[in-house]
Amino acid sequence: MLLTDLVATSDAVTATRSRTAKVAALAALLGRLAPAEIEPVVGLLTGELRQGRLGVGWATIAERVARPAAEPAITVGELDAALDHLAGLHGPGSAAARAAVLDDLLGRATAAEGGFLRRLLLGELRQGALEGVMVEAIAAAAGVPAPIVRRAHMLAGRLGPTAVAALTGGPAALDAIGLALLRPVRPMLASTAPDVATAVAELGRVSVEWKLDGARIQVHRSGADVAIFTRNLRDITARLPEVVDLVRSLPTEAVVLDGETLALGQDDRPRSFQDTMARFGADAARSQRLRPWFFDCLHVDGTDLLEAPLEERLAHLDRVAGEWRVRGVLTEDPAEGAAVLTEALAAGHEGVMVKAAGAPYQAGRRGKAWQKVKPVHTLDLVVLAVEWGSGRRRGWLSNLHLGARGPDGDLVMVGKTFKGLTDAMLAWQTERFLALETGRSGHGVVHVRPEQVVEIAFDGVQRSSRYPGGVALRFARVVRHRDDKGPGEADTRWWWSAPWWSAPWWSAPRWWGRWWGER
């Protein structure tokens, strides 16, 4: 298949907001692929390359100047081979070799193909072909029910091999994919509940557990062999030797555990999320102490537990993990669940998980069986600049640059966000910010007079050298545009200069209470 056919499908998917139309376009393309093309094409269309990281940055791409080819000639196989070559380049001389591969590739591409490749390599391919849509497209192209594809995807961990099985072997090949020790499965995800009582009312008997602000880990053991994977299924076994040793000490020969690990301070209180993540870097020092907590058991000594109810899985977890199990309680009483939330917050954690006691482990799904409850806080910040959107948001001003008031009334940038914006909000703010425009710079950045205040919800604050304010807001999203407030009424930045940076911000209620009361 020619790359131009894939690009045309990508453009069609980007141009429509209809999920049905997206699925139909993708399924039509998948149905035309040769077996060897299936896995590469699925990766290209979802933006998740089977080669993983290629070591290609913005500067490298920006330096490439090529006259577009008049006619399409690049095949999917040729592109996949070029990406394999890029992924294998390391060490002295690799930068020049990488540039040569890119020059050859982009020099043979048409204008449309070149634009697609640049967005793909920079991780900016926002076309609406996310995994959920692709799963439905694979099911449609293979003529099999979508739940069967979802289950296989959950157990295989990656969508490419799942697509190959579906399109070449059908239901039998998908059914043959099972849980395999030392191969990660996709983690179960949670939706959000406003409070514990609401979640308990919906789910009935539940497990209410501390929600830790750590790094999700999935641990596999088969005899003496141990493997540890991140939330996105990256193998980090070599970077967590203390967790490997702990898992080898557990009273079992074969187990798969789901859990979290996080850094602890000298007082055994949790440190910030970024302190935990620092241990996951390639050159991370091991001075930071990490402590794992486990909250689910997916397999033990030859028995798969994915279909077992949570209450049964927790019984196995108690036996295997013991003191390493996350704290929680099985209950039907909202008051008892709320007490767990109070206890978790007092211990420095971010909230609780409320989980249906009778639910199976639905890997890869963000359903209602698991619901997270944590405090939501907001800031009123000033828009300093805004970026043009891409994909479905093309033509609208989308990504907001956010500033808080400094001690002298100056505005200091503390982050960006494009989340939470409806189509109506995007249309309104495009007109509003173009009227406030003072200039443009970089890649589609529109600078504006600092007059518009927005209410921003966020889950946490962490140190960051990326923004002038020295912090970044975690999971920031727009609640509303505040036309009733001027920039002089925006929130100040004193709250991140407080001496509680050695712990997550929510573990210091005296600071939070003072800030909230003066807000």
Side-chain angles (χ1 to χ4, degrees):
M1 173 176 284
L2 289 174
L3 175 60
T4 188
D5 297 324
L6 185 150
V7 173
T9 299
S10 175
D11 289 343
V13 170
T14 302
T16 181
R17 300 181 186 180
S18 166
R19 187 181 184 91
T20 300
K22 291 178 187 290
V23 169
L26 292 169
L29 182 76
L30 294 173
R32 296 160 48 200
L33 298 175
E37 296 173 329
I38 296 171
E39 187 170 356
V41 165
V42 169
L44 291 167
L45 284 171
T46 57
E48 298 290 338
L49 299 177
R50 71 174 186 82
Q51 292 86 358
R53 298 179 181 179
L54 301 177
V56 178
W58 176 262
T60 303
I61 292 295
E63 291 171 357
R64 312 273 71 81
V65 179
R67 183 186 299 275
E71 297 293 334
I74 303 174
T75 68
V76 166
E78 289 171 333
L79 173 58
D80 191 50
L83 297 179
D84 279 339
H85 190 181
L86 285 171
L89 292 173
H90 303 285
S94 62
R98 191 174 293 116
V101 172
L102 292 171
D103 284 337
D104 176 70
L105 192 61
L106 293 171
R108 299 173 54 209
T110 64
E113 291 170 339
F116 175 88
L117 290 172
R118 291 173 187 272
R119 295 193 304 275
L120 176 74
L121 294 171
L122 292 173
E124 297 178 353
L125 192 65
R126 301 185 182 98
Q127 58 190 355
L130 299 176
E131 285 186 345
V133 174
M134 185 60 77
V135 163
E136 294 182 26
I138 292 167
V144 299
I148 297 178
V149 179
R150 290 194 190 97
R151 177 190 174 277
H153 181 209
M154 165 188 80
L155 296 170
R158 294 173 52 230
L159 196 51
T162 304
V164 172
L167 294 167
T168 61
L174 292 170
D175 288 341
I177 298 175
L179 187 150
L181 292 174
L182 308 181
R183 184 182 72 190
V185 302
R186 293 171 55 75
M188 186 169 178
L189 305 175
S191 56
T192 301
D195 51 57
V196 173
T198 300
V200 173
E202 180 176 353
L203 300 177
R205 182 168 173 78
V206 295
S207 175
V208 184
E209 306 164 2
W210 286 9
K211 186 181 189 308
L212 314 181
D213 189 36
R216 186 87 173 259
I217 57 171
Q218 185 181 126
V219 171
H220 291 236
R221 176 182 171 188
S222 179
D225 295 327
V226 173
I228 305 173
F229 303 95
T230 65
R231 179 190 181 98
N232 62 3
L233 312 188
R234 183 164 59 96
D235 190 329
I236 54 168
T237 309
R239 297 175 189 172
L240 300 179
E242 67 270 50
V243 179
V244 171
D245 291 341
L246 185 154
V247 173
R248 285 182 178 145
S249 73
L250 297 178
T252 180
E253 286 298 310
V255 71
V256 178
L257 300 175
D258 195 358
E260 299 258 349
T261 186
L262 64 158
L264 298 177
Q266 293 299 319
D267 58 356
D268 283 339
R269 291 179 70 83
R271 294 178 65 86
S272 68
F273 176 75
Q274 66 194 118
D275 288 333
T276 296
M277 293 306 297
R279 275 291 307 275
F280 286 27
D283 302 319
R286 293 180 181 173
S287 58
Q288 189 72 264
R289 182 166 62 104
L290 293 187
R291 200 266 199 208
W293 277 268
F294 300 110
F295 51 72
D296 217 322
C297 183
L298 313 186
H299 175 98
V300 62
D301 293 327
T303 301
D304 288 347
L305 300 172
L306 292 169
E307 300 300 324
L310 174 62
E311 194 161 356
E312 179 181 335
R313 302 198 307 274
L314 292 180
H316 287 286
L317 183 65
D318 278 334
R319 178 179 65 83
V320 172
E323 64 178 299
W324 305 103
R325 178 189 164 180
V326 72
R327 295 190 63 171
V329 63
L330 284 162
T331 185
E332 298 178 39
D333 182 0
E336 189 175 9
V340 177
L341 173 60
T342 300
E343 180 186 58
L345 293 173
H349 301 294
E350 66 173 357
V352 293
M353 297 292 299
V354 184
K355 304 176 180 178
Y361 190 93
Q362 298 173 302
R365 300 296 303 278
R366 191 181 297 279
K368 291 292 187 180
W370 286 12
Q371 299 184 27
K372 55 188 173 185
V373 178
K374 55 185 180 179
V376 176
H377 310 291
T378 65
L379 292 170
D380 291 328
L381 301 175
V382 180
V383 178
L384 308 177
V386 61
E387 299 172 18
W388 288 105
S390 60
R392 193 180 70 79
R393 293 189 174 188
R394 188 176 301 278
W396 283 333
L397 287 172
S398 177
N399 200 15
L400 304 176
H401 296 207
L402 304 167
R405 286 189 298 118
D408 300 322
D410 56 322
L411 292 168
V412 183
M413 188 173 177
V414 295
K416 300 180 184 180
T417 188
F418 56 83
K419 299 183 182 299
L421 293 164
T422 65
D423 288 355
M425 294 168 76
L426 285 164
W428 181 88
Q429 74 176 27
T430 299
E431 180 178 356
R432 167 68 168 162
F433 293 133
L434 287 177
L436 295 176
E437 180 180 352
T438 61
R440 303 193 181 194
S441 66
H443 306 285
V445 178
V446 177
H447 298 272
V448 300
R449 295 196 303 276
E451 299 178 6
Q452 180 63 51
V453 176
V454 289
E455 183 178 352
I456 301 294
F458 62 99
D459 289 358
V461 180
Q462 65 185 42
R463 294 184 303 271
S464 173
S465 59
R466 183 176 182 181
Y467 303 118
V471 299
L473 304 179
R474 296 187 59 212
F475 304 111
R477 59 269 187 199
V478 178
V479 176
R480 56 176 170 156
H481 298 100
R482 294 295 303 263
D483 293 329
D484 58 327
K485 283 193 172 185
E489 299 175 274
D491 286 304
T492 62
R493 67 185 183 102
W494 80 266
W495 40 271
W496 65 77
S497 63
W500 39 265
W501 276 116
S502 61
W505 57 271
W506 51 83
S507 67
R510 66 182 183 276
W511 290 104
W512 176 252
R514 175 184 165 194
W515 173 76
W516 189 261
E518 294 180 358
R519 190 167 168 265

